[in-house]
C-alpha cells in the first residue's frame, strides 16, 4: 500500500536498473549476489478509484471542472461574507450535482472493477513445487512457470520455454492486440524446449535477463542463461520468444512459459492508454454560452454595485431613520464594503449560470446512449451483435457529421473474399460449383463431371496453392508434430478438420478455391509444403521465401519440385509482375486483369520461373549472402529479390471478389442526400477501388472522375492539381469524383494543401487508394483543421483504421472479421455499414435536437429565474434583497424544473424516425450546429429576458403598484381585504415563472409520452403541493417564518389567479404566434415533414397518450389498472387507443420486429366521453 | 513459413485498450416500445389549424372576463387624501415640520374632504406611505420570528439580526428589530359631517385586518393567551421609537402585545417602496350606505415623520369587490390580450386558408 502510494506520487520510480533478472520458477541462487527485485503483481487495474480514495479523488476531479469550481467559490463566498442568501441555496444544488456525478462515476468504476476482477480471477495453471497448481491470474508472479493450453490467452508476458512440439515452437494469434488474425510462430531456445513436462521443468535451472518493460509490442531484448551440468549456456531472446499477454495460443496443445512482465507492466497494459477526450461541438458552444452568461452576470453585478453606491450617496436613502446601520456596518472600510457588496450581488445573481446544466447534460447523454444499444434496427442478426456505445459524450455529434471517411475492405465490403474468376494462359475461367469453367461454356458442359485440366491450368493451380503464407490449423495437431510423418496423410484428415489461417484474406480465398477445384494445400512446416492434386499428394521442398513488401507488392517462393527441379512462383499486383514477364499471354492477361478490376475484383497475377541448376546455385548464393549481410541488408535483399524475380513466365491472374455489404449503396446515397460528403480511404489499388466505388454508389456513372495518380514530383503534382481545378471550373454542372493515391496524396499534402483542399471541396465524392494507416489519419486531420472546421466521422473495421478512428471527431468501429481493434478504439461500434444511416440520420438527429434544446432551455429558464431578482433591486435600493424565498432559490433548478427537461431530452422525437430515415435531407436542417447558433442562442436568451420582464412587471402592475398587493381571503374568512407583502409578491412571480417555464418546454415538446405528461404536470403539481406544505407549518429550525401561509393567501385571492393566468398567456402567446407564423411563412423541411408524419387517423390524442402504457414499464401500469377498475371498463376508448398505437407502428419499414409485440396495455381515459 | 507477409500495408499503429474490455454480451435487444423509442405518444404540431380555435377561444373568453373585471374594478369606490403636509397651505404643514418621534405633545391636524358618491358595503381604510423602503434587505431581515412567536428565550435574547434594535440600555427590546421599531403610529379618525351640522364619528374596527394565520399562529404573546402581559414583558425595553410599550397597544387583551393587528399588519413588509396597509374596517353599519356622500373630516394625530426621506402619507378609503381591491389594469390586460388573440386568430385564419393547403402538399426538396 505504502509503495503504491509512493509510486502514485512519483517518489518511487518502479525500476531502478536497466534490466530485470528473472529466476525461472523463482529458484534464486543459494549463494552469491542476489538482489531482490520488486515486480508488479499480475493484477490488471483499469479502475480509477478504490473504496478508500473514491471520495477525495472524485471530489478533486469534479472540482477541476470549471463550473463546479465556480459554484464552490460562490459557496465559499457565501460562507465568508454577509450575503443575501444562505449558503444552503448554492451549497445544496452543488451537493446534489456533485452527488449525482459521483454516483454515475462510481457506477462506471464499479463496472470496471468487475471486469478487472473477472480478468484477475481467471484460473491459470502454474508450476509450483513440482506440480501443476491451479491459481488465479492475479497470483502469477514474475518468474512463475505458467502452462497455457490451446485456445487460451496468455495471462502475462511469457518467455516461451517449451511446447508440446519437439522443436519447441508454438503458434499464436495476436488478433486482440494488433488485429492481425494470421498465425505467428514463436520459438523457444533449444535448451529449454526439451523440458516438456513438469518434472523436467522442475530440474531446469535458468535465469532470464531482459530489458525493463516498454510499450513497443515488437521489441524485446533479453537473454536466457541455462545451467546444465554445471555449465552455463547463454542464449539470446527476442520478440519471437516472447508470448504477449492478450494473445491466444493456437494450433498447439500446451506450452510452458516463464512470466517476464506481469500485470500493469505487461506490454498490453502499457499500451493501454486513456482515449483522448473528444469534445462535441455542442459542448464547445455550451462553454461559449457559459462564458457569455458569466459576462452577463458580472455586468449585472457591477451595474448593481455602482447603482447601489450612486443611490447611497444620499443619506436619506442610505440610512433613513427607520433603518439604521449597526456599528459594525458603519465602521467597516469602504473598499471592503464595496468588494463585499459586489460579491453579494454575484451571489444573488449566480443562478443565472445554470448549475445543473452539466449534470443534466451528463445524465441525458448517459441514459440516452442506451437507446443506441437497444435499437433493434442496429442489431445484426447473423453475427448476434448490437450497436455498442463506448463513449456517451458524442451522441449529439452524430447529428452534425459533414464528412464521412470510410474504409473499404471490411467496412463497405464483407471482407469475405470469394474466388470468382481467373485467367490462365489467356483464357478466362469462372469457378462454378468447384469446377473451373472456361469462358463461354456453361456449367452443363457436355464433357461431364471431371473436366480435364490441362498442364498449364494445373501449373497455375499449383502455383496458387504453393505460393502463399497460409497456415493450417487442425483439430488434432498431428501434422506439424509429426513433421515428416508419412502416416499423416494415411491417417487422413477430412477437410473439415482443416482450417486455413492467413493474414491476407485474399490468400485464404485463393487457397480455399484451389482446394475446391482439386489442388489442396494440406500440410506445411518450415521445410516442406504438401499439396494434394486430385487426391495425389505431392511434396515440395521449400527453399526460399521472398517475403511480401509494400514496395515490391509481390511475394515469391522458391521450391524444389518432387522431380528435383527448382522453381520460383511469384504472385502480386499486376503492375509489379507484368513488367518482368517475358513469356506467356501477357497482353491477354493484362486485358483480363483490367476486366476483373472493372468488375470490382481484387486481382493478383501469378507467374513462375524455372531455374536451371546453375542458375539456382547463383540465386541461392545471392540470397544467402544478402540475408547474412551485416550492413545494408535491406538494400541487398531488395537487390537480390529483383535479380531473382525477373524473366518470369506468366501463368495467369486471379480475381477475388470482396462482396459488398448489404445496402451500402442506399446508405451512401442517403448520406449524400443528407449533405454528408463521403470519402473512401482504402489500401487497395486504384482500379479495384474505383470499381468498388462505382458498384457501391460512391461514384456515379455520370460523374466526371478526376484522377491524381502516380505523381512523382512536386511540380507534376501541382500542375495536375491546377489542371483539375480548371476542369472543375469549366464544367461545373457535372458532379465530380476524385481519385487520389497515397503517394500523390503525400505530395499534394506536403506543398499544395490549399490547392488540394480546393479541388476536394468541389468534388462530391473522393476516393483515396493505396493509403497507409497514418495517411488516413492525416487526411482526416487535414479536413478537420480546414478553415470551415467540419465535423468528421471515420468508420473502419481493422487495426489500420484505428488512427483514423481516433483522429476523427466521431470514430465508428465495424465489428468485422479483423479483430476488435477498431471497435475498442472507436466511440461507437456497429455491426454493418448500413447501420450508419440510422445511427446518423435518426439517432444523431434526435440526440442533437434533444441536447440543443436542453442547453438553450437551461439558459432560458435561468434567465427567467434571475432577471426578476435583478429588476427587483431597482425597487429596493439595491440592498440585495432576494425576491424569492431561499428554499425556492435552492429548489428551482433541482426540483421544480429539472425533470421535464430531462424527460424531454430523453424521449423527444421531432419527426417520426421513419421519416427521418426516408428523407435524409432533413439532416441538413440541423447541420453546422444550427440549433445552437448564436442567433438561436440570442433568441432564447432574449425570450428569457422578455419573459422575466413580463413576470416581474406584470406582477408589479397587476398586483403591485399603488393599488398595493391585496386580496380578499375568501377561503379563510368571508370577504376580508388583506395585505400582501414582499414575500407574496415574490411567490407570485415565482409561481408564474415555474408554470410558464414548464409550459414553454411543453410547447417545444413534439412527442408526448405518458412520461412527459407525468413530469410536466407533475412538476407543476409538485410545486403547488410543496409550496402548500412548506408554507403550511411553522418550521421549528428555520430562522424566519417568512413563507408561512403566504402561498395559501396568494391563491385564495381571486385577482391573483387572474393575474397568474394573464401573465402566463402573455408570455407564451407571442411565442406560439411566432412559431405558427414561421411554420407557415418559412417552414423548414423538418417542419414540412412533421405535418406529413402524423396523418390524423394515426395520431394519438393528448388524452390517449396519457393512458397508453407499455406493459411492465413502471408501477404506473399497476396504478393504471387500478384506475381502470375504479372507472369501469371502457372498451371503446381502449380499443381506439390500441388501434391508434398499432397503426402508428405499422408503417415502420421494420415491420417484422413489431410482430411479436402486442403486449400493450391500454386503458381508457377517465375523461372519455364513453365512460 | 515466414510470418512477415502482410498483405494489408499495416504500419503497426497499435493501441490496445484496456483488458477485460470488449467482452460484448451479444444479446438481441428487447423489443419493447420503450427501448425502441416507440412509446405511444401524442404528437402535437403548432399549425394555424390547431392554434386557431385556441386563439378564438382565448379571445372570446378573455374579452368578457376583461370587461367584467374592468367594470367590477370601476365599481369599486376609492378615495385618497394626502395628509403629509408638504405644502404650507396644507393643514398638516405644522405637524410635518415637527420631526420628533417622542414628542409628548401630540400634534393633531384635521383634513376636510368631500365624498361625491356614497360608499356601500364594507369600506376599508388604509394608510399609504411612499418612498418608504420596507423591502430594504437590512430592514426585511431585522426581525425575530421566534420572539414574535412567543418564545421566552428569544424574548430576552433577541436574534442578532435585530441589531441595532436588539438591546436598549442593556435590556432586550420587545419586539426587536427595525421593522417593529418603525411601526406606523399615526392615529386616524374619521368624522362624517352631517348635513345638519353635527360631526358624527365613523365607527372603525381595528380587528380583522391581519391574516388569520398570522394573528392566531405566527404571532403569539409570550406566556400564552391568558398571561398578564405587563408581567411577561417585564425586563424588556420598548422599541426606541415607540411611545408606548408593546403591551399597551390596545386595551382589548385579544388585540394586545404581539397579536395587535396594527402591529401584525406593519410587520408584513411591503414589496415596493410605495405601499398601503390596511388600517381599519368600517363595519357594514345598519345605515345604508356605509359612507353616504357628503363632507368628512379626517383627524390625524400626526406622529410619523416622513419628510426626512421625502415620503408621503395618505389615507385611502375603498370598497372591495369579489376580486379584491380596485385594479383597472387587470381588466385592461384581459381585454387587450383577448382582442390581440382574436385579431391574430383572424390573421391566422387568412394564412391558413392561403398557405395551409400548399404546405401540406409541398414536397421536401432533397
Amino acid at each position: 500500500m505504502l509503495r503504491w502510494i509512493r509510486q502514485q506520487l512519483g517518489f518511487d520510480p518502479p525500476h531502478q536498473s536497466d534490466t530485470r533478472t528473472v529466476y525461472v520458477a523463482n529458484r534464486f541462487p543459494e549463494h552469491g549476489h542476489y538482489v531482490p527485485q520488486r515486480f508488479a503483481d499480475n493484477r490488471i487495474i483499469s479502475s480509477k478509484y478504490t473504496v478508500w480514495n473514491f471520495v477525495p479523488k472524485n471530489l478533486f476531479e469534479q472540482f477541476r471542472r470549471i463550473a463546479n469550481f465556480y459554484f464552490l467559490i460562490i459557496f465559499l463566498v457565501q460562507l465568508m461574507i454577509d450575503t443575501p442568501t444562505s449558503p444552503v441555496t448554492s451549497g445544496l444544488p452543488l451537493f446534489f450535482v456533485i452527488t449525482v456525478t459521483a454516483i454515475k462515476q462510481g457506477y462506471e468504476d464499479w463496472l470496471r472493477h468487475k471486469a478487472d476482477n473477472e480478468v484477475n480471477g481467471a484460473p491459470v495453471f502454474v508450476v509450483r513445487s513440482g506440480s501443476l497448481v491451479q491459481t488465479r491470474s492475479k497470483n502469477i508472479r514474475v518468474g512463475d512457470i505458467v502452462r497455457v493450453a490451446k485456445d487460451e490467452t496468455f495471462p502475462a508476458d511469457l518467455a516461451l520455454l517449451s511446447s508440446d512440439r519437439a522443436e519447441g515452437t508454438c503458434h499464436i494469434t495476436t488478433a486482440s492486440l494488433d488485429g492481425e488474425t494470421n498465425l505467428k510462430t514463436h520459438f523457444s531456445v533449444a535448451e529449454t524446449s526439451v523440458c516438456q513436462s513438469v518434472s523436467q521443468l522442475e530440474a531446469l535451472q535458468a535465469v532470464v535477463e531482459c530489458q525493463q518493460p516498454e510499450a513497443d509490442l515488437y521489441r524485446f531484448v533479453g537473454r536466457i542463461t541455462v545451467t546444465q551440468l554445471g555449465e552455463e549456456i547463454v542464449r539470446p531472446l527476442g520478440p519471437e520468444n516472447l508470448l504477449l499477454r492478450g494473445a491466444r495460443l493456437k494450433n498447439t496443445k500446451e506450452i510452458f512459459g516463464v512470466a517476464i512482465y506481469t500485470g500493469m507492466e505487461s506490454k498490453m497494459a502499457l499500451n493501454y492508454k486513456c482515449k483522448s477526450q473528444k469534445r462535441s461541438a455542442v459542448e464547445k458552444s455550451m462553454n461559449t454560452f457559459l462564458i457569455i452568461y458569466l459576462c452577463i452576470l458580472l455586468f449585472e453585478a457591477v451595474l448593481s454595485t455602482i447603482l447601489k453606491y450612486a443611490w447611497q450617496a444620499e443619506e436619506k436613502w442610505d440610512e433613513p431613520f427607520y433603518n439604521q446601520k449597526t456599528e459594525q456596518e458603519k465602521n467597516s472600510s469602504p473598499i471592503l464594503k464595496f468588494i463585499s457588496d459586489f460579491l453579494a450581488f454575484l451571489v444573488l445573481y449566480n443562478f443565472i449560470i445554470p448549475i445543473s446544466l452539466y449534470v443534466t447534460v451528463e445524465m441525458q447523454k448517459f441514459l440516452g446512449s442506451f437507446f443506441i444499444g437497444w435499437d433493434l434496427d442496429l442489431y445484426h442478426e447473423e453475427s448476434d451483435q448490437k450497436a455498442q456505445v463506448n463513449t456517451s459524450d458524442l451522441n449529439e455529434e452524430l447529428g452534425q457529421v459533414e464528412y464521412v471517411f470510410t474504409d473499404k475492405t471490411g467496412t463497405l465490403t464483407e471482407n469475405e473474399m470469394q474466388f470468382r474468376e481467373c485467367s490462365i494462359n489467356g483464357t478466362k475461367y469462372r469457378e462454378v460449383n468447384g469446377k473451373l469453367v472456361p469462358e463461354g461454356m456453361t456449367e452443363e458442359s457436355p464433357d461431364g463431371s471431371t473436366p480435364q485440366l490441362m498442364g498449364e491450368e494445373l501449373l497455375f493451380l499449383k502455383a496458387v496453392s504453393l505460393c502463399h503464407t497460409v497456415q493450417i490449423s487442425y483439430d488434432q495437431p498431428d501434422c506439424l508434430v509429426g513433421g515428416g510423418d508419412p502416416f499423416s496423410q494415411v491417417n487422413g484428415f477430412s477437410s473439415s478438420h482443416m482450417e486455413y489461417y492467413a493474414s491476407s484474406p485474399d490468400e485464404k480465398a485463393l487457397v480455399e478455391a484451389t482446394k475446391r477445384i482439386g489442388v489442396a494445400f494440406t500440410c506445411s512446416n518450415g521445410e516442406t509444403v504438401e499439396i494434394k492434386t486430385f487426391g495425389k499428394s505431392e511434396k515440395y521442398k521449400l527453399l526460399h521465401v521472398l517475403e511480401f513488401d509494400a514496395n515490391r507488392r509481390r511475394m515469391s517462393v522458391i521450391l524444389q519440385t518432387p522431380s528435383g527441379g527448382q522453381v520460383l512462383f511469384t504472385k502480386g499486383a499486376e503492375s509489379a509482375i507484368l513488367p518482368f514477364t517475358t513469356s506467356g499471354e501477357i497482353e491477354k492477361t493484362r486485358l483480363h486483369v483490367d476486366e476483373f478490376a472493372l468488375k470490382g475484383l481484387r486481382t493478383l497475377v501469378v507467374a513462375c520461373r524455372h531455374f536451371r541448376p546453375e542458375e539456382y546455385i547463383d540465386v541461392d548464393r545471392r540470397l544467402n549472402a544478402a540475408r547474412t549481410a551485416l550492413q545494408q541488408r535491406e538494400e541487398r535483399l531488395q537487390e537480390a529479390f529483383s535479380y531473382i524475380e525477373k524473366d518470369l513466365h506468366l501463368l495467369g491472374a486471379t480475381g477475388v471478389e470482396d462482396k459488398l455489404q448489404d445496402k451500402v449503396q442506399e446508405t451512401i446515397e442517403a448520406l449524400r442526400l443528407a449533405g454528408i460528403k463521403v470519402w473512401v480511404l482504402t489500401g487497395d489499388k486504384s482500379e479495384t477501388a474505383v470499381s468498388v466505388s462505382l458498384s457501391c454508389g460512391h461514384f456515379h456513372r455520370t460523374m466526371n472522375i478526376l484522377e491524381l495518380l502516380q505523381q512523382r514530383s512536386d511540380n507534376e503534382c501541382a500542375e495536375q492539381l491546377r489542371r483539375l481545378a480548371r476542369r472543375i471550373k469549366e464544367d461545373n454542372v457535372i458532379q465530380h469524383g476524385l481519385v487520389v493515391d497515397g503517394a500523390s496524396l503525400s505530395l499534394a499534402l506536403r506543398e499544395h494543401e490549399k490547392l488540394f483542399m480546393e479541388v476536394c471541396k468541389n468534388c462530391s465524392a473522393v476516393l483515396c487508394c493505396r493509403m497507409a494507416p497514418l495517411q488516413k489519419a492525416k487526411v482526416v486531420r487535414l479536413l478537420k483543421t480546414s478553415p470551415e472546421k467540419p465535423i468528421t466521422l471515420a468508420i473502419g473495421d481493422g487495426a489500420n483504421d484505428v488512427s483514423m478512428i481516433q483522429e476523427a471527431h466521431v470514430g465508428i468501429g465495424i465489428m468485422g472479421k479483423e479483430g476488435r481493434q477498431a471497435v475498442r478504439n472507436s466511440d461507437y461500434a456497429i455491426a454493418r455499414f448500413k447501420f450508419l444511416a440510422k445511427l446518423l440520420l435518426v439517432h444523431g438527429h434526435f440526440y442533437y435536437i434533444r441536447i440543443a434544446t436542453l442547453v438553450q432551455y437551461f439558459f432560458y429558464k435561468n434567465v427567467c429565474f434571475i432577471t426578476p431578482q435583478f429588476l427587483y433591486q431597482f425597487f429596493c435600493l439595491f440592498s440585495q434583497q432576494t425576491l424569492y424565498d431561499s428554499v425556492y432559490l435552492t429548489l428551482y433548478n433541482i426540483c421544480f424544473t429539472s425533470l421535464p427537461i430531462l424527460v424531454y431530452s430523453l424521449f423527444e422525437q421531432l419527426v417520426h424516425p421513419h421519416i427521418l430515415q426516408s428523407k435524409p435531407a432533413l439532416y441538413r436542417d440541423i447541420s453546422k450546429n444550427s440549433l445552437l447558433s448564436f442567433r438561436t442562442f440570442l433568441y432564447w436568451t432574449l425570450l428569457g429576458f422578455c419573459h422575466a420582464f413580463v413576470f416581474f412587471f406584470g406582477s408589479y402592475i397587476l398586483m403591485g403598484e399603488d393599488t398595493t398587493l391585496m386580496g380578499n381571503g375568501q377561503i379563510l374568512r368571508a370577504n376580508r381585504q388583506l395585505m400582501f407583502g414582499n414575500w407574496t409578491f415574490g411567490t407570485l412571480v415565482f409561481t408564474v415563472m415555474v408554470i410558464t417555464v414548464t409550459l414553454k418546454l411543453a410547447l417545444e415538446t413534439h412527442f408526448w409520452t405518458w412520461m412527459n405528461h407525468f413530469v410536466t404536470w407533475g412538476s407543476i403539481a409538485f410545486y403547488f403541493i410543496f409550496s402548500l406544505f412548506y408554507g403550511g407549518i411553522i418550521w421549528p429550525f428555520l430562522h424566519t417564518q417568512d413563507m408561512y401561509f403566504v402561498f395559501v393567501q396568494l391563491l385564495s385571492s381571486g385577482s391573483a389567479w387572474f393575474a397568474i393566468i394573464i401573465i402566463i398567456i402573455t408570455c407564451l402567446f407571442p411565442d406560439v404566434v411566432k412559431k405558427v407564423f414561421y411554420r407557415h411563412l418559412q417552414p423548414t423541411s423538418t417542419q414540412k415533414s412533421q405535418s406529413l408524419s402524423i396523418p390524423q387517423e394515426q395520431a394519438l390524442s393528448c388524452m390517449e397518450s396519457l393512458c397508453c402504457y407499455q406493459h411492465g414499464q413502471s408501477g404506473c401500469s399497476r396504478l393504471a389498472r387500478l384506475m381502470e377498475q375504479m372507472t369501469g371498463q371502457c372498451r371503446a376508448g381502449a380499443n381506439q387507443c390500441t388501434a391508434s398505437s398499432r397503426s402508428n407502428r405499422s408503417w415502420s419499414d421494420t415491420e417484422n420486429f413489431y410482430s411479436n409485440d402486442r403486449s400493450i396495455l391500454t386503458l381508457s381515459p377517465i375523461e372519455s366521453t364513453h365512460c | 513459413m515466414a510470418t512477415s507477409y502482410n498483405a494489408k500495408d499495416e504500419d503497426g499503429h497499435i493501441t490496445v485498450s484496456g483488458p477485460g474490455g470488449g467482452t460484448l454480451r451479444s444479446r438481441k435487444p428487447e423489443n419493447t416500445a420503450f427501448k425502441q423509442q416507440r412509446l405511444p405518444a401524442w404528437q402535437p404540431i403548432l399549425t394555424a389549424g390547431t392554434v386557431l380555435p385556441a386563439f378564438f377561444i382565448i379571445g372570446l373568453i378573455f374579452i368578457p372576463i376583461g370587461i367584467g373585471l374592468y367594470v367590477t374594478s370601476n365599481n369599486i369606490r376609492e378615495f385618497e387624501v394626502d395628509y403629509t403636509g408638504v405644502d404650507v397651505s396644507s393643514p398638516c404643514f405644522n405637524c410635518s415640520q415637527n420631526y420628533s418621534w417622542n414628542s409628548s405633545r401630540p400634534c393633531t391636524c384635521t383634513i376636510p374632504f368631500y365624498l361625491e358618491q356614497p360608499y356601500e358595503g364594507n369600506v376599508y381604510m388604509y394608510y399609504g406611505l411612499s418612498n418608504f423602503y420596507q423591502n430594504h434587505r437590512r430592514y426585511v431581515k431585522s426581525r425575530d420570528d421566534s420572539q414574535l412567536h412567543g418564545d421566552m428565550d428569544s424574548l430576552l435574547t433577541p436574534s442578532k439580526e435585530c441589531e441595532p434594535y436588539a438591546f436598549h440600555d442593556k435590556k432586550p427590546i420587545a419586539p426587536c428589530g427595525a421593522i417593529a421599531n418603525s411601526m406606523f403610529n399615526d392615529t386616524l379618525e374619521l368624522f362624517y359631517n352631517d348635513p345638519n351640522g353635527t360631526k358624527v364619528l365613523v365607527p372603525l374596527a381595528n380587528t380583522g385586518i391581519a391574516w388569520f394565520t398570522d394573528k392566531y399562529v405566527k404571532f403569539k404573546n409570550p406566556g400564552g393567551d391568558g398571561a398578564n402581559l405587563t408581567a411577561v414583558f417585564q425586563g424588556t425595553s420598548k422599541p426606541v421609537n415607540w411611545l408606548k410599550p408593546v403591551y399597551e397597544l390596545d386595551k382589548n387583551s385579544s388585540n394586545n402585545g404581539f397579536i395587535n393587528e396594527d402591529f401584525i399588519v406593519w410587520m408584513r413588509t411591503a414589496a415596493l417602496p410605495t405601499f398601503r396597509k390596511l388600517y381599519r374596517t368600517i363595519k357594514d353599519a345598519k345605515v345604508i350606505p356605509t359612507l353616504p356622500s357628503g363632507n368628512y373630516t379626517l383627524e390625524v394625530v400626526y406622529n410619523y415623520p416622513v419628510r426626512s426621506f421625502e415620503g408621503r402619507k395618505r389615507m385611502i378609503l375603498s370598497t372591495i369587490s369579489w376580486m379584491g381591491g380596485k385594479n383597472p389594469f387587470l381588466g385592461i390586460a384581459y381585454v387587450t390580450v383577448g382582442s390581440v388573440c382574436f385579431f391574430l386568430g383572424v390573421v391566422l385564419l387568412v394564412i391558413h386558408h392561403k398557405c395551409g393547403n400548399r404546405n401540406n402538399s409541398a414536397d421536401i426538396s432533397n
Side-chain angles (χ1 to χ4, degrees), chain A residues 44 272 316 321 323 374 548 821 824 850 872 880 909 958 964 968 977 979 982 1008 1041 1058 1153-1154, chain B residues 5 15 17-19 31 36-38 42 48 101 137-138 145 211 269 271 276 310 320 322 327 334:
Chain A
I44 286 286
Y272 170 78
K316 65 184 174 193
F321 75 88
N323 193 10
W374 282 337
F548 176 86
Q821 194 65 9
R824 280 193 197 170
R850 288 167 185 172
Y872 192 54
Q880 300 139 10
Q909 295 181 16
L958 298 182
T964 60
N968 49 347
Q977 177 89 4
M979 315 307 303
N982 61 326
W1008 285 84
Q1041 307 293 343
F1058 280 112
F1153 287 136
Y1154 301 94
Chain B
Y5 177 86
T15 34
S17 72
N31 185 16
Q36 301 308 317
Q37 306 198 53
R38 268 187 287 111
W42 172 49
W101 272 89
R137 178 168 149 241
R138 204 185 320 131
D145 275 343
W211 291 13
T269 48
R276 60 168 80 163
E310 292 175 9
I320 63 161
W322 56 271
N327 191 346
Y334 268 82

Side-chain angles (χ1 to χ4, degrees), chain A residues 70-71 93 290 293 296-297 300 348-358 360 854-870 884 888-894 897-898 901 940-941 943-945 947-948 951 990 993 997 1000:
Chain A
Y70 163 78
F71 286 106
L290 273 177
Y293 268 59
I296 295 179
L297 169 68
E300 285 186 354
L348 190 68
Y349 305 145
N350 87 78
F351 289 95
I352 201 169
I353 308 280
I355 181 165
S356 44
L357 173 62
Y358 275 104
T360 313
L854 171 84
V855 170
Q856 301 281 26
Y857 177 74
F858 250 93
F859 285 108
Y860 156 79
K861 85 178 165 112
N862 281 283
V863 167
C864 282
F865 181 41
I866 282 309
T867 310
Q869 190 136 281
F870 172 66
Y884 322 115
Y888 286 156
L889 276 174
T890 312
L891 296 184
Y892 176 74
N893 265 324
I894 59 180
T897 58
S898 60
I901 183 64
W940 277 91
T941 305
L943 192 74
F945 275 113
H947 283 189
F951 301 151
F990 193 82
M993 178 174 64
V997 161
K1000 166 70 186 158

Side-chain angles (χ1 to χ4, degrees), chain B residues 32-344:
Chain B
T32 59
F34 176 75
K35 290 192 173 178
Q36 301 308 317
Q37 306 198 53
R38 268 187 287 111
L39 281 178
W42 172 49
Q43 288 158 286
I45 317 173
L46 290 176
T47 59
T50 47
V51 296
L52 260 179
F55 275 29
F56 283 120
I57 289 170
I58 288 177
L60 288 177
I61 292 177
F62 273 27
I63 294 173
I65 288 181
I67 293 170
L69 287 173
Y70 190 73
V71 170
T72 316
S73 173
N74 264 5
N75 283 341
I76 294 172
R77 308 234 185 283
E78 200 176 270
F79 178 81
E80 194 175 305
V81 56
D82 187 324
Y83 69 92
T84 325
V86 186
D87 287 341
V88 189
S89 59
S90 161
C92 290
F93 179 71
N94 286 333
C95 289
S96 72
Q97 297 305 104
N98 179 2
Y99 280 97
S100 157
W101 272 89
N102 295 328
S103 121
S104 50
R105 192 172 44 82
C107 178
T108 315
C109 50
T110 312
I111 298 112
F113 62 92
Y114 179 73
L115 286 185
E116 285 172 359
Q117 284 159 321
Y119 282 39
E120 283 153 13
N122 283 339
V123 181
Y124 294 81
M125 187 190 218
Y126 308 86
Y127 57 88
L129 294 174
S130 309
N131 266 339
F132 190 100
Y133 286 86
Q134 262 206 321
N135 57 5
H136 194 281
R137 178 168 149 241
R138 204 185 320 131
Y139 188 83
V140 168
K141 69 176 183 183
S142 184
R143 63 192 288 160
D144 186 343
D145 275 343
S146 52
Q147 189 190 49
L148 298 173
H149 193 54
D151 189 90
M152 284 308 269
D153 294 339
S154 304
L155 183 69
L156 298 175
T157 52
S159 154
K160 78 177 201 335
E161 301 286 355
C162 284
E163 291 290 351
Y165 303 101
F167 289 93
H168 182 66
D169 291 341
K170 306 232 163 86
K171 279 200 282 186
I173 295 176
C176 74
I179 312 176
N181 186 57
S182 59
M183 182 176 154
F184 182 76
N185 60 358
D186 281 0
T187 312
L188 307 175
E189 280 187 317
L190 194 62
F191 292 93
Y192 173 57
N193 297 342
D194 226 344
N196 54 25
T198 49
K199 268 174 89 175
V200 183
L201 178 69
V202 178
L204 302 173
N206 64 352
T207 53
I209 55 174
W211 291 13
F212 180 84
T213 47
D214 279 1
K215 168 134 185 161
Y216 294 100
V217 187
K218 191 174 170 184
F219 287 77
K220 276 199 175 102
N221 276 322
D225 281 341
N228 182 351
L229 290 182
T230 321
V232 170
F233 284 104
Q234 200 70 47
T236 63
S237 169
K238 73 173 172 64
V240 189
N241 287 354
W242 286 21
L243 297 171
K244 295 177 281 187
V246 68
Y247 46 87
E248 286 173 20
L249 282 176
D250 197 353
K251 305 211 165 43
N252 180 359
S253 68
S254 66
N255 192 29
N256 202 3
F258 289 157
I259 55 171
N260 178 276
E261 293 199 19
D262 284 333
F263 174 65
I264 294 172
V265 166
W266 180 256
M267 290 304 284
R268 184 154 294 280
T269 48
L272 300 161
T274 300
F275 61 89
R276 60 168 80 163
K277 283 180 185 287
L278 189 53
Y279 184 62
R280 295 289 181 263
T281 60
I282 303 170
K283 284 277 176 255
D284 194 359
K286 298 290 169 283
V287 284
I288 293 171
T290 323
L291 290 180
S293 62
N295 282 312
Y296 287 83
T297 317
L298 176 70
E299 280 199 19
V300 181
V301 182
Y302 198 112
N303 292 322
Y304 207 73
V306 291
R307 296 291 305 277
S308 65
F309 52 86
E310 292 175 9
R312 289 301 183 97
K313 296 197 286 189
R314 290 159 300 149
M315 188 281 301
I316 302 112
L317 288 171
S318 170
T319 60
I320 63 161
S321 69
W322 56 271
M323 51 149 284
K326 193 176 181 75
N327 191 346
F329 298 104
L330 202 54
I332 293 170
Y334 268 82
V335 171
T336 315
V337 172
S339 14
V340 171
C341 268
F342 201 84
F343 170 72
L344 281 172

Side-chain angles (χ1 to χ4, degrees), chain A residues 627-675:
Chain A
R627 279 193 204 281
T628 51
L630 291 175
Q631 272 139 29
Q632 296 175 316
R633 187 185 290 175
E634 290 289 304
E635 285 82 5
R636 295 191 58 178
L637 267 178
Q638 291 301 321
E639 216 173 279
F641 286 172
S642 51
Y643 174 77
I644 297 162
E645 289 164 338
K646 64 176 188 188
D647 300 333
L648 301 169
H649 172 69
L650 184 65
L651 292 175
T654 58
V656 173
E657 186 189 25
D658 189 2
K659 227 174 77 188
L660 271 187
Q661 281 189 14
D662 197 21
K663 285 195 178 159
V664 168
Q665 191 165 1
E666 289 89 333
T667 308
I668 288 184
E669 190 55 38
L671 293 181
R672 186 164 296 147
L673 284 177

Side-chain angles (χ1 to χ4, degrees), chain A residues 976-1018:
Chain A
R976 286 259 176 264
Q977 177 89 4
L978 296 165
M979 315 307 303
F980 286 162
N982 61 326
W983 298 115
T984 322
F985 180 68
T987 308
L988 173 70
V989 174
F990 193 82
T991 308
V992 169
M993 178 174 64
V994 167
I995 298 175
T996 310
V997 161
T998 311
L999 290 182
K1000 166 70 186 158
L1001 184 66
L1003 282 182
E1004 296 293 315
T1005 308
H1006 292 88
F1007 197 76
W1008 285 84
T1009 64
W1010 64 267
M1011 266 178 286
N1012 293 79
H1013 284 292
F1014 182 74
V1015 293
T1016 306
W1017 315 124

